[in-house]
Amino acid sequence: MSSLRTPCGSADAETSTSKTLSTASAETDTPNLAGGYTLNVAVRPDKLAARHWTLQVPEIDAAVSDPERIARKMIVDMRESQGEVKACLAVVARGIPPPELRRMLCHNMGDLKGGVEEHLERLGFTDLCSELAAQAASSDPGRKSRAVRNISVDAEAGGSLTAVGVNTMRHLCYLMGFGPDNLAWLGKNDSAMAWFESAGGVEGLRTMGYLPHLSRVGGLDIARAAQREHPGVFVDLMSYMQARTCWIDDVVERFVGDCAGAAANVVLLGAGWDFRLLRLHAVFGDANCMLYEVDAPGTQQAKLKALDRVEDKERFTRVAYVQCDFASECWRDKAVAAGLDTSKATLIVWEGVTAYLELDAVQRTLSDVAERFAEAPCCMAFDHINPQWGLLQAPAMVALGEPFCPSTMALTPLDWEDLVRGCGLRVVEHFAPADREDLYLPARSDGKSVGVLPQVELMMVAGNSALVDGLRVLRGSSSG
């Protein structure tokens, strides 16, 4: 669908976004802290408006971390969490030589700063990796120091921990003045908020000139060098979550606009703490769209409980909340029972989900969409990880109890395109987050953005033949 190839929304949407950024926080009833920013609407050749924020900073890359301090902290962290590390290695690192294990275990990217590697060697890092690798090789690969929770059905634990973490990053972006999610405060993680404040908070962004997490790797220039050296690694997750949120917002807006009043569905599949269907109420407006959130009981129940804290609930009644045990139930059957009409144009948002699914589950979902939604235009907007990042992050995810699935983690961007086509769908767009950096990340007065983004294809829109061939149905236009 050609309009979905456009990375940004309409000029009207930009006005709406600007209003969102200046809206008082529902939690504190204080203005959003965006004093250092000006919002400039740049008109692109395609006549659509692009998001762009400019930050004036007095100092550039002022906070540079001490390499020896980073090295010592990494050693201490490994020794204090040795049980967790052993469990991770037993699952994902069998047969990997110590140099590669060192790269995997340095998931805070500190070793990419000049001088850290030498200090690590002096402090015995390689010997510690070899010791842990030997312990892992003799352990049961199925044994974990923390049981992997069944996030499909676990209601008592509040569902997915990673969903809460992602939502917290959305909230932090909003506090800093450029994130669009003014409802993310409902599900933020308090420990992450405390870390943000300790790293300088909103004022730290203004004085350092980059997102707080980058101080751990020595600043923006070092982070950019690291991103060039490792194009598929998420050097800064906050930058990625900001870009992913804005991209999917734009996809939703373009889909609703292309439907031009025709009956349609928007489905958040594995919604997590995504408040998109509520905060984009201006986009949906009088559109003839049915809205659905499908998620595991644990996460959805925690989310609905949090929504009780919001006074204005009128817009919530438009969303149908569908609980599904993804391990044993068909999400489509559950959504149809709640009113979903698969004969209508449908957008399925599958954000931050694929990395946790086995390959056969991903194939079943894609094939199901191709076959069961064939009567009308249908597309899926989703992201995926890549082997480079999966290898680095796998130990931490196992320790968290929400591991990546190896069969899916191993897929390259080209593999994903082949998979989509093999399931009967077409690739509408597939791009690297860095390609949209100028649209979705704030820019400083020197022209650099305040964060860094992966440089390999991770974001995709896949559509059925009715979507790709039937543009006139959606757009009311004879153009293809």
Side-chain angles (χ1 to χ4, degrees):
M1 180 169 150
S2 59
S3 61
L4 285 180
R5 295 180 185 274
T6 304
C8 51
S10 67
D12 290 343
E14 289 304 316
T15 302
S16 174
T17 301
S18 179
K19 290 179 179 178
T20 299
L21 293 177
S22 63
T23 300
S25 164
E27 179 187 28
T28 61
D29 198 30
T30 58
N32 178 248
L33 302 176
Y37 295 92
T38 57
L39 179 63
N40 302 315
V41 178
V43 179
R44 294 163 52 88
D46 55 14
K47 307 301 181 184
L48 294 175
R51 296 184 181 90
H52 187 73
W53 293 264
T54 300
L55 175 63
Q56 301 291 333
V57 292
E59 297 180 63
I60 304 299
D61 292 349
V64 178
S65 301
D66 174 49
E68 182 173 2
R69 182 183 62 80
I70 293 176
R72 289 188 179 279
K73 184 178 186 305
M74 294 170 75
I75 293 287
V76 170
D77 287 348
M78 284 184 64
R79 292 198 179 280
E80 290 182 350
S81 60
Q82 190 164 330
E84 297 289 354
V85 173
K86 285 191 296 184
C88 298
L89 292 173
V91 175
V92 299
R94 283 180 178 271
I96 298 177
E100 287 300 314
L101 292 180
R102 183 187 63 79
R103 176 66 61 177
M104 288 177 62
L105 294 171
C106 294
H107 53 78
N108 70 353
M109 304 299 292
D111 62 328
L112 297 178
K113 184 184 186 306
V116 172
E117 186 171 353
E118 291 78 3
H119 287 291
L120 287 174
E121 291 301 318
R122 183 173 59 81
L123 294 169
F125 187 91
T126 297
D127 291 341
L128 178 57
C129 282
S130 300
E131 176 187 340
L132 294 176
Q135 294 172 346
S138 62
S139 64
D140 177 3
R143 179 179 176 272
K144 303 177 180 63
S145 57
R146 183 181 305 173
V148 175
R149 299 180 303 112
N150 184 353
I151 60 175
S152 293
V153 298
D154 184 2
E156 293 183 2
S160 171
L161 297 177
T162 53
V164 174
V166 168
N167 183 69
T168 302
M169 282 185 264
R170 290 194 186 108
H171 177 57
L172 294 176
C173 289
Y174 176 78
L175 286 182
M176 287 185 283
F178 53 86
D181 198 336
N182 62 333
L183 292 176
W185 64 273
L186 289 165
K188 68 182 187 301
N189 178 278
D190 290 338
S191 61
M193 294 300 300
W195 172 86
F196 174 70
E197 292 301 326
S198 69
V202 173
E203 189 59 32
L205 170 65
R206 296 195 180 104
T207 57
M208 294 186 297
Y210 47 78
L211 295 177
H213 179 267
L214 297 183
S215 63
R216 299 173 63 188
V217 300
L220 183 62
D221 290 340
I222 291 171
R224 287 193 172 279
Q227 191 70 82
R228 288 192 296 270
E229 182 182 354
H230 305 275
V233 168
F234 294 57
V235 173
D236 180 33
L237 271 174
M238 188 179 294
S239 296
Y240 177 73
M241 296 309 168
Q242 162 70 5
R244 188 175 76 179
T245 299
C246 291
W247 164 60
I248 295 181
D249 282 357
D250 286 345
V251 171
V252 171
E253 182 185 346
R254 296 308 304 160
F255 176 81
V256 172
D258 284 349
C259 288
N265 306 303
V266 177
V267 180
L268 302 188
L269 181 57
W273 285 83
D274 181 354
F275 296 100
R276 184 172 280 111
L277 299 185
L278 305 181
R279 60 182 176 78
L280 295 184
H281 57 92
V283 171
F284 296 116
D286 297 328
N288 190 13
C289 285
M290 299 295 292
L291 310 178
Y292 300 88
E293 284 197 16
V294 184
D295 209 352
T299 301
Q300 191 169 96
Q301 289 173 14
K303 182 178 182 180
L304 291 175
K305 182 178 180 180
L307 286 172
D308 286 340
R309 301 163 61 188
V310 179
E311 293 183 2
D312 178 17
K313 294 184 174 60
E314 182 177 351
R315 73 183 82 161
F316 301 171
T317 60
R318 186 168 181 176
V319 181
Y321 294 95
V322 181
Q323 294 187 4
C324 178
D325 175 3
F326 294 109
S328 61
E329 297 177 314
C330 173
W331 72 268
R332 175 179 44 79
D333 289 345
K334 298 277 287 189
V336 167
L340 175 67
D341 184 351
T342 59
S343 69
K344 307 300 183 185
T346 301
L347 166 64
I348 300 169
V349 175
W350 207 20
E351 181 181 7
V353 176
T354 60
Y356 305 95
L357 301 179
E358 293 289 355
L359 180 56
D360 60 349
V362 174
Q363 290 174 316
R364 285 196 305 272
T365 301
L366 294 173
S367 297
D368 187 71
V369 169
E371 296 169 6
R372 304 297 183 181
F373 291 79
E375 295 182 52
C378 179
C379 62
M380 298 188 75
F382 65 92
D383 62 319
H384 59 81
I385 62 172
N386 65 89
Q388 185 182 24
W389 171 245
L391 186 66
L392 280 166
Q393 193 68 5
M397 300 309 297
V398 173
L400 184 64
E402 297 180 19
F404 296 148
C405 287
S407 60
T408 309
M409 185 179 76
L411 297 178
T412 66
L414 289 178
D415 291 334
W416 275 100
E417 293 187 7
D418 290 341
L419 174 63
V420 164
R421 295 187 182 103
C423 291
L425 298 173
R426 301 186 186 184
V427 178
V428 178
E429 69 172 6
H430 192 200
F431 66 94
D435 294 342
R436 309 287 171 87
E437 184 175 303
D438 61 331
L439 298 181
Y440 298 143
L441 292 185
R444 310 189 310 188
S445 53
D446 62 359
K448 297 179 182 179
S449 74
V450 298
V452 293
L453 290 168
Q455 299 171 356
V456 300
E457 294 86 349
L458 300 173
M459 296 174 171
M460 181 183 289
V461 174
N464 64 5
S465 58
L467 174 83
V468 178
D469 296 333
L471 293 179
R472 283 176 294 181
V473 175
L474 285 180
R475 301 181 64 195
S477 168
S478 59
S479 64

